[in-house]
Amino acid sequence: MRDNRGVTATTPRIEIEYCTRCRWLLRAAWTAQELLTTFEGELGEVALVPGTGGVFEVRLDGETLWSRTERAAFPELAELKRAVRDRVAPDRGLGHSERR
Amino acid sequence: MRDNRGVTATTPRIEIEYCTRCRWLLRAAWTAQELLTTFEGELGEVALVPGTGGVFEVRLDGETLWSRTERAAFPELAELKRAVRDRVAPDRGLGHSERR
């Protein structure tokens, strides 16, 4: 039984909610590892959250950074990293991920 | 800046805290994917939590299931899965992970 019984998490917290039936765990785990590698010192945690119904959503402290339902696509890593950087490490350059 | 500003998480929640300097992200992410595959319908989330100082710890709703500091070893997956099963799905058999 799942609920939000106020178990606290460490912020800045990224949530990656992914559709289990669509078999998107591997993509979600890959995305998590990319973000934890790039923002090793800035993120408090990255949580993998099983979901259903075609969901693939990346949230940072409750703000949706990417929603597959809205964009009809998976997040492009460089763009996702820029969105995270702008919020948790605004002064940081991202090298390859910087260019469009 | 990391803190616990009461951002709620979904329970049952597993945390895997791993030492970034020891390069244990890949092991932590692998462990997360194994648990999310086996307990796809039972877990609310699995959070990867970067840490330091040789930490590799698996917690379920705040209870430490495995601590590398205490055991001087990494978790053996079958044993870890039995510990999780006993708490979130006590009636479930684990096939290969059942035998010692």
Side-chain angles (χ1 to χ4, degrees):
Chain A
M1 206 270 302
R2 294 177 191 153
D3 67 31
N4 286 11
R5 265 175 298 151
V7 173
T8 52
T10 316
T11 60
R13 166 183 155 93
I14 287 192
E15 280 175 16
I16 303 176
E17 188 175 2
Y18 63 93
C19 175
T20 54
R21 249 178 243 134
C22 313
R23 304 266 157 259
W24 287 344
L25 169 58
L26 299 186
R27 178 183 292 268
W30 165 58
T31 306
Q33 291 172 82
E34 284 270 356
L35 294 176
L36 283 164
T37 301
T38 301
F39 301 104
E40 182 178 280
E42 287 91 359
L43 292 176
E45 65 180 57
V46 175
L48 296 169
V49 182
T52 55
V55 65
F56 195 94
E57 213 162 274
V58 183
R59 297 183 289 267
L60 172 59
D61 289 342
E63 176 195 2
T64 300
L65 297 188
W66 188 285
S67 160
R68 187 175 180 278
T69 323
E70 279 167 28
R71 305 258 194 134
F74 288 108
E76 202 268 323
L77 250 294
E79 185 179 344
L80 183 61
K81 286 182 180 180
R82 285 194 297 273
V84 174
R85 182 271 317 273
D86 293 348
R87 290 159 178 80
V88 304
D91 305 327
R92 262 193 61 190
L94 287 177
H96 302 297
S97 302
E98 205 56 80
R99 277 170 292 285
R100 289 255 132 237
Chain B
M1 204 270 304
R2 293 179 192 153
D3 67 36
N4 286 11
R5 265 175 298 151
V7 172
T8 51
T10 315
T11 59
R13 163 183 158 96
I14 288 192
E15 282 174 12
I16 304 176
E17 187 175 4
Y18 63 94
C19 175
T20 54
R21 263 190 224 124
C22 312
R23 304 263 157 258
W24 286 342
L25 169 59
L26 299 186
R27 179 183 292 268
W30 164 58
T31 305
Q33 291 172 82
E34 283 271 355
L35 294 176
L36 282 165
T37 301
T38 301
F39 301 103
E40 181 179 281
E42 286 92 359
L43 292 177
E45 65 180 59
V46 175
L48 296 168
V49 182
T52 54
V55 65
F56 195 93
E57 214 164 274
V58 184
R59 297 181 289 266
L60 171 60
D61 289 342
E63 175 195 0
T64 300
L65 298 188
W66 189 286
S67 161
R68 185 172 181 281
T69 323
E70 279 165 27
R71 304 259 194 132
F74 288 109
E76 203 268 323
L77 248 296
E79 185 179 344
L80 183 61
K81 286 182 181 181
R82 285 193 298 273
V84 173
R85 182 271 317 272
D86 292 349
R87 290 160 179 80
V88 303
D91 304 327
R92 258 189 66 188
L94 287 178
H96 303 299
S97 303
E98 205 56 81
R99 279 170 290 286
R100 291 258 133 234

